[in-house]
Amino acid sequence: ENSIALQPTVTIKNSGDLSKTPFDNLKMGVPSFKCDVIIDRIGYALGYSEKYEQPLWVTYKLTADEVKSKKARRSDDFRSDPDIPTDSATPEDYKNSYFDRGHLAPAADMSFSLQAMSESFYMSNMSPQRPEFNRGIWKKLEEKVRDYAAGCGEIYVVSGPIFDPKTPSITIGANKITVPDKYFKVLLDPNTVKPKAIGFVIDNRASKQPLSQCAVTVDAVEAMTGLDFFSELDYFDERNLESQCNFAQWESSVPRRSSRRSKK
């Protein structure tokens, strides 16, 4: 892939710009145009907030083939995002902060492309996560999402922070990155015969909760965040799917082999 020209980054200013992007991350809709900049690139799209110095949402399509692909190894090249006009957070903002640079589009979901893997380490894709959250329940949910993509063939994923206006905000670094109170992930399986959708909301702290107890409707996540997910769906499909929360239905789509972890 190194010999192939890099895929461009596309800035989306309005719905008309969606026709200019070669990528499918926003095919099911833009969660919100109320962001300082919306960027679409090979691995994921994001809506960046200068106020919070992180994305309000990150979205992408994840396919079974992409999950199986091991073209790119984790690159760990954390760096500022040159495509954020107001400048993104920097790796220095996290130094001695206690918080992890938590991916919103996980590096492991970008293993299908060297470019996508590298761009997943832009600081515009990071959010300050408590280490016990990032390496615990959040990692478990990210692994589960890959299992779902492998079982469903393809799914759309949206992740982002939730800020509670009732709690005093903590910030880190010179750029004053706001530490979120919770995080969300919403999933859509666009299967034409039996489509399904689900949301997850998890506190930014250690948790022993089973993921089934973190599952909510997509409607519930919209109410918490003010975002509008999957707006390109047919109105009645959207209304029906976003009121669902059937964790068992998603679990039944997981291929048996991926639910058994290797003992090596």
Side-chain angles (χ1 to χ4, degrees), residues 190-202:
N191 183 304
T192 48
V193 182
K194 281 190 173 174
K196 55 185 181 288
I198 197 168
F200 294 88
V201 172
I202 310 176

Side-chain angles (χ1 to χ4, degrees), residues 160-187:
I162 298 176
F163 304 99
D164 184 347
K166 295 192 284 294
T167 60
S169 56
I170 304 167
T171 63
I172 62 166
N175 281 305
K176 296 197 168 4
I177 307 164
T178 308
V179 177
D181 300 281
K182 304 171 192 285
Y183 286 90
F184 73 82
K185 216 176 262 292
V186 297
L187 311 175

Side-chain angles (χ1 to χ4, degrees), residues 1 4-12 19-25 38-45 81-83 113 115-116 119 122:
E1 189 181 313
I4 300 170
L6 291 180
Q7 294 281 346
T9 291
V10 182
T11 301
I12 308 286
S19 61
K20 299 176 189 169
T21 181
F23 312 121
D24 55 14
N25 303 307
I38 295 171
I39 285 170
D40 196 14
R41 42 178 54 124
I42 183 171
Y44 60 92
D81 187 342
D83 295 304
S113 154
Q115 181 184 346
E119 290 177 346
Y122 279 142

Side-chain angles (χ1 to χ4, degrees), residues 75-223:
S75 61
D76 278 325
D77 51 343
F78 290 97
R79 64 206 188 279
S80 296
D81 187 342
D83 295 304
I84 302 289
T86 52
D87 294 334
S88 69
T90 69
E92 289 69 40
D93 285 316
Y94 283 78
K95 274 195 181 145
N96 304 318
S97 72
Y98 164 76
F99 290 91
D100 276 1
R101 298 167 292 196
H103 282 70
L104 291 176
D109 290 7
M110 303 293 140
S111 62
F112 66 92
S113 154
L114 295 171
Q115 181 184 346
M117 174 62 77
S118 177
E119 290 177 346
S120 78
F121 284 89
Y122 279 142
M123 296 306 295
S124 57
N125 181 39
M126 303 299 150
S127 181
Q129 296 181 339
R130 295 181 189 277
E132 57 273 26
F133 167 82
N134 180 36
R135 303 168 204 181
I137 193 167
W138 188 246
K139 182 172 182 243
K140 194 189 292 183
L141 178 56
E142 289 174 339
E143 289 168 350
K144 187 66 80 175
V145 167
R146 287 189 284 279
D147 283 349
Y148 292 157
C152 297
E154 67 177 52
I155 60 174
Y156 287 87
V157 185
V158 194
S159 305
I162 298 176
F163 304 99
D164 184 347
K166 295 192 284 294
T167 60
S169 56
I170 304 167
T171 63
I172 62 166
N175 281 305
K176 296 197 168 4
I177 307 164
T178 308
V179 177
D181 300 281
K182 304 171 192 285
Y183 286 90
F184 73 82
K185 216 176 262 292
V186 297
L187 311 175
L188 171 70
D189 170 9
N191 183 304
T192 48
V193 182
K194 281 190 173 174
K196 55 185 181 288
I198 197 168
F200 294 88
V201 172
I202 310 176
D203 288 336
N204 186 9
R205 57 184 169 85
S207 175
K208 294 275 194 289
Q209 263 191 315
L211 289 172
S212 58
Q213 288 182 14
C214 306
V216 296
T217 64
V218 175
D219 282 338
V221 183
E222 288 182 335

Side-chain angles (χ1 to χ4, degrees), residues 5 34 59 71 75 105 108 111 158 202 212 216 223-224 244 253 260:
K34 292 179 185 171
T59 184
K71 186 181 283 189
S75 61
S111 62
V158 194
I202 310 176
S212 58
V216 296
M224 286 181 209
Q244 289 180 17
S253 69
R260 285 201 304 269

